[in-house]
Amino acid sequence: MEKNKSKLQSTLKMTPNGLKSSHPWSFKVYFRTGIYGWRGSQLAAKRLKEALREINKVNKQEALLAAEGAIFLMSRLWPALEHIDTSSGSLGNAVGNIIEKLLPILINAPASLLVRQYWLDILWEILQADGVGYVADIAQYWGELAGYPEEASRRADVFASLVKVAWQRDESIVHYDVAYLSALYFAERFDEVLDAIKKDPRPSWQTREFGARVLVLTDPDKAIAYAENTRDIINTNQVSISCFCEEALIKTCQINEAYIRYAIPANNANTYLNWFNKIKKKYKTIKTDQEILSDLIAANIVEPGKWFATANKLKCFDLALELIKANPADPKTLNRAAKNRLDKEPNYSLNVAMSSLYWMTQGFGYEISNCDVHDALSVIKQSAKELGLWRVTKQQLEKMVETDTMAFISKTISASLG
């Protein structure tokens, strides 16, 4: 194979100092070894998005080059990000989102068998060198990355003896077992997938998922039960199991059942609005916006007030007001919403601003200052006077002062009323 690699005309080359690319990728300068320090999470996340945009732009014209750009970026993640504090999880999420978008570029690229073989060799080196699992999904998609069933089958055979011996000795074998099963599945050696999983002394959803994929081809209900029986295993990815089960039900036209059982746990997202949008995208034919949002709130996953911004964005104003009437919400968020709706919905703005001020007097909010109090009062005065409600509103503000737990807020309110 070494003789053939020189004919690949690849932009990538493995060297003792790491992977090199002959293409002048702009993102290269932002992903050098040790370039980010302990507090570099936010900047790194920004650079990752820029790198993805660059690769996506190339992908529109040269899919093969874009795929090699994806590989090149993956090879530089761990060396560049190694020293960043990852305790908050934000960087891990950012990298995970990028990998999720890079893998389809690699999988869908129109590469020859020879190119695929070369890429797999490089990807395995990247996977082995990864210190924290940034690119762990390479193993999960090993079969798809092989691109050709015959290559996937060959790669499975390469891993077979190593995996089986490790399992017999009850030894941990990171990545190899997942890549092995992925390759077997893509090669459509389904019976071997099921037989192999039975021998795994440390079953996990990562390995059992391939068994579930095999079962769903002929018996979706059995596959769902098989997946559900994995939930009790320690460190199991509960969201991934829910996603699998939801997809199985949707594909068999059991959309109502899918919604009831899995819509909320399967579509968890990084923001509440994105959580809602993911569910809506799948179930808009059977559920209204208000129904979906009400179900999310009723699930009692987070404090109800945290859904205010989503309700406000969807113009579910009655629901939004109901949420913040009895539940604390971020005053800064409430102030922005009140100000933005002042011209079109003065009554709504008045109620939102009053709630903002009330929750500030009760000690809610992060780093609340006089500016936040003035923002709320400004909207309250404008909307109340426009609606002819200033006298009543002024009385409500005076009562609010009496229950204030934050001295500086009552002084600001009193000064504005005087």
Side-chain angles (χ1 to χ4, degrees):
M1 186 170 162
E2 289 297 327
K3 293 181 179 179
N4 292 330
K5 284 184 179 177
S6 62
K7 302 177 183 179
L8 290 175
Q9 298 181 345
S10 173
T11 61
L12 302 176
K13 183 180 180 181
M14 287 297 297
T15 74
N17 295 319
L19 189 65
K20 305 296 181 183
S21 174
S22 60
H23 183 77
W25 294 103
S26 298
F27 65 73
K28 176 182 176 180
V29 68
Y30 301 116
F31 292 93
R32 303 192 305 272
T33 299
I35 190 172
Y36 297 102
W38 185 251
R39 300 180 182 275
S41 181
Q42 187 173 355
L43 179 57
K46 177 185 176 182
R47 297 306 187 194
L48 282 168
K49 291 178 181 179
E50 293 172 354
L52 179 62
R53 284 197 293 270
E54 182 181 6
I55 291 170
N56 279 332
K57 185 176 180 180
V58 171
N59 194 39
K60 295 177 181 179
Q61 303 295 329
E62 299 180 69
L64 282 173
L65 178 59
E68 296 205 325
I71 295 173
F72 188 53
L73 177 59
M74 288 180 185
S75 75
R76 303 178 77 82
L77 293 180
W78 168 243
L81 310 179
E82 180 179 2
H83 301 300
I84 297 179
D85 174 22
T86 58
S87 58
S88 70
S90 61
L91 181 62
N93 289 333
V95 175
N97 290 335
I98 296 299
I99 296 298
E100 184 180 351
K101 293 175 174 62
L102 291 179
L103 283 170
I105 294 174
L106 264 172
I107 291 168
N108 297 325
S112 68
L113 174 58
L114 194 61
V115 169
R116 288 281 172 191
Q117 291 172 338
Y118 185 50
W119 287 355
L120 287 176
D121 291 342
I122 295 172
L123 287 167
W124 194 253
E125 292 291 331
I126 295 171
L127 185 61
Q128 293 299 298
D130 186 10
V132 294
Y134 284 137
V135 296
D137 282 353
I138 288 175
Q140 199 75 21
Y141 290 90
W142 195 246
E144 288 94 327
L145 290 167
Y148 297 84
E150 60 270 29
E151 179 61 18
S153 186
R154 188 181 76 82
R155 296 281 172 165
D157 290 337
V158 169
F159 290 148
S161 60
L162 183 63
V163 172
K164 291 175 181 178
V165 168
W167 281 351
Q168 287 173 356
R169 297 175 178 173
D170 194 11
E171 296 175 348
S172 177
I173 183 164
V174 180
H175 302 317
Y176 284 89
D177 51 354
V178 177
Y180 169 57
L181 292 168
S182 175
L184 280 179
Y185 179 82
F186 189 78
E188 299 186 2
R189 292 161 61 175
F190 299 138
D191 289 341
E192 291 180 64
V193 171
L194 295 175
D195 288 341
I197 290 173
K198 292 177 183 177
K199 300 172 184 176
D200 184 358
R202 303 184 184 192
S204 67
W205 174 242
Q206 275 194 309
T207 54
R208 286 173 64 89
E209 181 179 357
F210 295 103
R213 287 191 200 177
V214 171
L215 293 174
V216 81
L217 297 173
T218 55
D219 192 339
D221 291 336
K222 186 176 181 180
I224 290 172
Y226 180 87
E228 287 288 356
N229 287 336
T230 309
R231 288 194 185 274
D232 292 337
I233 297 175
I234 296 176
N235 296 326
T236 294
N237 187 329
Q238 302 293 332
V239 174
S240 181
I241 292 178
S242 295
C243 287
F244 173 84
C245 296
E246 178 193 43
E247 184 179 358
L249 288 171
I250 291 175
K251 284 185 175 179
T252 54
C253 300
Q254 299 181 70
I255 190 166
N256 285 294
E257 184 73 7
Y259 180 83
I260 292 170
R261 294 176 63 183
Y262 299 111
I264 292 176
N267 295 285
N268 198 335
N270 57 343
T271 68
Y272 300 120
L273 180 60
N274 286 344
W275 198 342
F276 167 87
N277 284 333
K278 285 178 70 176
I279 295 175
K280 179 182 178 179
K281 185 177 181 180
K282 296 176 183 177
Y283 299 100
K284 60 185 177 183
T285 59
I286 66 168
K287 293 289 180 179
T288 65
D289 287 1
Q290 180 115 0
E291 287 173 328
I292 294 172
L293 183 54
S294 294
D295 287 339
L296 280 164
I297 295 167
N300 202 30
I301 300 164
V302 296
E303 289 294 325
K306 292 185 180 295
W307 289 107
F308 167 79
T310 303
N312 178 70
K313 180 74 174 180
L314 298 173
K315 298 182 180 180
C316 297
F317 298 132
D318 289 341
L319 179 56
L321 291 176
E322 183 182 336
L323 286 171
I324 58 176
K325 183 178 181 180
N327 304 285
D330 175 36
K332 297 177 190 293
T333 299
L334 297 180
N335 283 350
R336 286 193 295 270
K339 184 177 180 180
N340 290 338
R341 302 303 305 178
L342 184 57
D343 293 336
K344 296 181 179 180
E345 304 282 345
N347 187 62
Y348 174 70
S349 289
L350 173 59
N351 282 281
V352 172
M354 287 292 285
S355 290
S356 172
L357 200 57
Y358 171 75
W359 290 118
M360 279 190 269
T361 65
Q362 301 306 300
F364 290 96
Y366 180 69
E367 293 186 350
I368 297 301
S369 68
N370 272 325
C371 290
D372 299 308
V373 180
H374 282 299
D375 285 344
L377 286 170
S378 175
V379 172
I380 290 168
K381 284 184 177 180
Q382 290 182 62
S383 55
K385 289 179 179 179
E386 180 179 339
L387 295 165
L389 298 173
W390 176 239
R391 180 177 295 179
V392 175
T393 302
K394 187 175 179 181
Q395 293 173 349
Q396 292 174 337
L397 290 172
E398 289 170 347
K399 290 182 179 180
M400 196 180 295
V401 168
E402 296 174 3
T403 62
D404 179 27
T405 62
M406 308 288 286
F408 80 92
I409 294 178
S410 58
K411 290 180 180 179
T412 305
I413 295 175
S414 298
S416 70
L417 297 179

